Amino acid sequence: MTEVGRALDAFEADGEIGAIVITGSERAFAAGADIKEMQNRTFQERYGGNFLAHWNRISTVKKPVIGAVNGFALGGGCEWAMMCDVIYAGEKAQFGQPEILLGTIPGEILLITLILN
Ligand SMILES: C=C(C)C(=O)SCCNC(=O)CCNC(=O)[C@H](O)C(C)(C)COP(=O)(O)OP(=O)(O)OC[C@H]1O[C@@H](n2cnc3c(N)ncnc32)[C@H](O)[C@@H]1OP(=O)(O)O
């Protein structure tokens, strides 16, 4: 997310860019936060270490952001899609929040986004 955040900062500052398209591959838009990275960390380490810093950067970009989604958009990946101004979903797009099966709740803004939409 840090890299995505940096790219978005640059696109936002670039006067030649009018709109931003975020996409993944045919198999996955994004499978969510890195479970392997998260699994051995305590809540305090994740919260104190700002694990989800910049997570909502997509929603604060002051240019139109289009999410071109194919394949899996899961967990934080589903949240990313919902933060886009427009979602252009392919026929194989699959949205979901499977992290509830890991005993965690949808990351940063999902519940608020669902309520607002
Ligand atoms: C904000 C929060 C809290 C979150 O985002 S929590 C994460 C939410 N996302 C998930 O729970 C998705 C978990 N992944 C899946 O359900 C399945 O891997 C998918 C995405 C449906 C793909 O399924 P398949 O096509 O059968 O491929 P699969 O073999 O499971 O995955 C391929 C590789 O990607 C890895 N992978 C998939 N999603 C991952 C993720 N979110 N984090 C880390 N690794 C992941 C997976 O461990 C496997 O690695 P390896 O080849 O080393 O074994």
Side-chain angles (χ1 to χ4, degrees):
M1 192 61 215
T2 307
E3 288 174 26
V4 173
R6 282 198 195 113
L8 292 173
D9 289 345
F11 298 155
E12 191 174 56
D14 188 335
E16 298 291 310
I17 293 176
I20 298 163
V21 178
I22 299 178
T23 193
S25 66
E26 199 173 326
R27 187 173 179 209
F29 176 71
D34 189 334
I35 298 170
K36 290 167 192 160
E37 187 186 348
M38 282 193 311
Q39 66 183 353
N40 293 322
R41 294 197 187 173
T42 63
F43 171 78
Q44 286 83 355
E45 283 168 344
R46 276 185 272 157
Y47 188 67
N50 238 351
F51 182 70
L52 291 176
H54 314 301
W55 196 252
N56 65 346
R57 179 66 179 109
I58 293 171
S59 64
T60 63
V61 174
K62 295 185 186 68
K63 290 183 178 176
V65 180
I66 300 162
V69 181
N70 227 338
F72 301 113
L74 302 176
C78 182
E79 294 187 69
W80 274 15
M82 285 192 293
M83 281 186 256
C84 295
D85 298 298
V86 175
I87 298 176
Y88 184 62
E91 288 180 3
K92 292 183 182 164
Q94 292 186 51
F95 299 86
Q97 301 296 147
E99 64 267 46
I100 57 170
L101 303 173
L102 304 171
T104 183
I105 60 166
E108 182 84 338
I109 64 140
L110 175 91
L111 299 175
I112 298 168
T113 312
L114 279 178
I115 291 164
L116 291 177
N117 289 315

